[in-house]
């Protein structure tokens, strides 16, 4: 079950009280005890996750959930990792983006990569039952083929990250890089972007390493790992969505598995 939990300071999109009412309703009507919280930064403040944890303790079931979070905030406020574990966090996705310090800083990730790596090790050792997924971007400014391969080497040789994936940099015309690509060293040809360090094709080749040595190459691995699904339930849900679309006058000709969710294993792919 998916739910939104977001905040600006403590002005929650859904207050703990409203969220509790929704969770109770889902539990009573559907027996729902597991969630994927669609919050870009679930742990944006210790006060927020503490208030949510206090609310979860009043529920008549033990909550289990997955969410997105910022690794650097957990590392800088280590008490938050214990709060998240107590809250019922079972899997988490961190957008690390790069272990090249200069590259990471260009997109607002200023913590030194060595500290991030140490933090990931600490988190896994502190609460080994929480599955950690990390995402990276191949081709950021100042990233080199050597630094990308070094990142892959670290991920392959350590067990602190359960699942990881790379996305090749996509430059939108309205993004900071897209508005002034020359400033960041990018040029374009028929094959896509390139700079002095690599081409988009070279970034893709290195990124493909992440598909070979990880539990799952999709960033939403944590969702399916946490949900205790079975293929028949998934089949019924998919069929219900198709039937509903036809009832309202749509006649779908193609079906897309969003972000590769149904390719996570052979049983789901057969569905």
């Amino acid at each position: 079950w998916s739910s939104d939990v977001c905040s600006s300071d403590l002005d929650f999109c859904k207050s703990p009280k409203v969220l509790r009412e929704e969770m109770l309703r889902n539990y009573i009507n559907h027996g729902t005890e597991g969630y994927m919280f669609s919050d870009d930064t679930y742990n944006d403040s210790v006060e927020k996750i503490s208030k949510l944890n206090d609310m979860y303790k009043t529920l008549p079931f033990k909550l289990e959930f997955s969410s997105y979070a910022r690794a650097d905030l957990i590392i800088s406020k280590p008490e938050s990792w214990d709060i998240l574990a107590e809250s019922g966090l079972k899997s988490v996705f961190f957008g690390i983006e790069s272990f090249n310090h200069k590259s990471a800083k260009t997109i607002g990730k200023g913590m030194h990569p060595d500290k991030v790596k140490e933090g990931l090790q600490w988190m896994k050792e502190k609460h080994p039952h929480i599955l950690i997924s990390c995402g990276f971007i191949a081709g950021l400014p100042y990233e080199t083929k050597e630094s990308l391969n070094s990142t892959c080497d670290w991920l392959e040789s350590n067990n602190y990250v359960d699942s990881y994936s790379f996305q090749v940099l996509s430059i939108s015309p309205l993004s900071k890089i897209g508005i002034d690509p020359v400033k960041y060293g990018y040029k374009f040809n028929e094959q896509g972007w390139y700079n002095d360090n690599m081409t988009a094709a070279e970034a893709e080749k290195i990124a493909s390493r992440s598909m070979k040595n990880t539990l799952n190459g999709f960033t939403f691995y944590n969702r399916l790992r946490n949900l205790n699904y079975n293929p028949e339930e998934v089949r019924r849900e998919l069929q219900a969505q198709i039937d509903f679309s036809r009832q309202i006058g749509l006649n779908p000709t193609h079906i897309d598995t969003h972000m590769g969710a149904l390719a996570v294993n052979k049983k789901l792919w057969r569905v």
Side-chain angles (χ1 to χ4, degrees):
W1 200 284
S2 178
S3 186
D4 298 319
V5 184
C6 53
S7 73
S8 173
D9 296 321
L10 279 176
D11 182 18
F12 295 112
C13 290
K14 291 183 180 177
S15 70
K17 180 180 178 181
V18 172
L19 195 61
R20 183 178 188 277
E21 292 173 354
E22 180 178 332
M23 289 179 162
L24 282 174
R25 183 170 60 253
N26 294 337
Y27 177 69
I28 293 169
N29 294 335
H30 309 289
T32 304
E33 298 180 359
Y35 284 80
M36 169 63 199
F37 288 133
S38 301
D39 185 337
D40 287 344
T41 312
Y42 181 86
N43 63 322
D44 49 3
S45 78
V46 174
E47 185 178 4
K48 169 190 169 184
I49 62 173
S50 296
K51 284 182 176 292
L52 289 171
N53 186 34
D54 289 341
M55 182 274 285
Y56 298 154
K57 292 176 182 178
T58 70
L59 295 170
F61 60 89
K62 177 60 178 175
L63 174 69
E64 295 185 349
F65 70 93
S66 300
S67 191
Y68 303 97
R70 285 281 295 250
D72 52 355
L73 294 180
I74 293 173
I75 295 167
S76 62
K77 298 183 182 297
E79 69 275 18
S80 64
W81 191 230
D82 288 330
I83 297 171
L84 291 169
E86 184 181 37
S87 297
L89 180 67
K90 293 300 180 183
S91 57
V92 62
F93 181 85
F94 296 132
I96 303 296
E97 317 311 358
S98 177
F99 280 151
N100 180 309
H101 195 203
K102 192 173 182 180
S103 299
K105 285 197 295 184
T106 64
I107 55 170
K109 303 293 179 77
M111 182 172 284
H112 195 281
D114 290 344
K115 191 170 183 179
V116 175
K117 292 175 183 177
E118 292 170 0
L120 291 170
Q121 178 180 352
W122 169 78
M123 281 186 264
K124 178 52 69 174
E125 292 175 348
K126 179 77 170 178
H127 294 295
H129 68 283
I130 299 177
L131 294 168
I132 297 175
S133 297
C134 292
F136 298 84
I137 300 174
L140 287 171
Y142 315 113
E143 190 84 71
T144 66
K145 288 178 284 189
E146 291 75 21
S147 63
L148 268 181
N149 277 308
S150 177
T151 295
C152 291
D153 292 340
W154 187 88
L155 291 165
E156 291 171 5
S157 61
N158 291 283
N159 297 319
Y160 313 131
V161 175
D162 298 288
S163 174
Y164 56 90
S165 59
F166 284 77
Q167 301 292 324
V168 177
L169 176 67
S170 176
I171 302 177
S172 165
L174 298 180
S175 67
K176 182 170 71 170
I177 296 175
I179 291 173
D180 191 1
V182 175
K183 175 182 177 181
Y184 295 95
Y186 291 92
K187 297 179 182 179
F188 299 88
N189 57 27
E190 293 180 354
Q191 286 72 46
W193 60 259
Y194 66 96
N195 58 31
D196 291 340
N197 296 319
M198 71 183 82
T199 66
E202 289 171 330
E204 176 70 40
K205 183 177 180 179
I206 298 173
S208 67
R209 288 181 60 182
S210 69
M211 302 297 292
K212 300 176 182 177
N213 298 292
T214 182
L215 291 172
N216 169 351
F218 300 103
T219 54
F220 293 147
Y221 164 82
N222 49 0
R223 297 187 182 197
L224 294 177
R225 181 64 179 82
N226 183 51
L227 292 178
N228 195 29
Y229 65 89
N230 67 61
E232 179 56 26
E233 290 174 337
V234 174
R235 188 199 66 77
R236 289 199 301 266
E237 170 61 25
L238 294 174
Q239 188 62 56
Q241 292 182 24
I242 294 170
D243 293 344
F244 177 74
S245 69
R246 287 172 173 163
Q247 288 172 11
I248 62 175
L250 300 177
N251 186 25
T253 59
H254 297 77
I255 299 175
D256 172 61
T257 169
H258 182 62
M259 296 298 291
L262 292 182
V264 69
N265 63 35
K266 291 181 180 179
K267 290 182 179 179
L268 284 179
W269 186 243
R270 292 191 185 100
V271 170

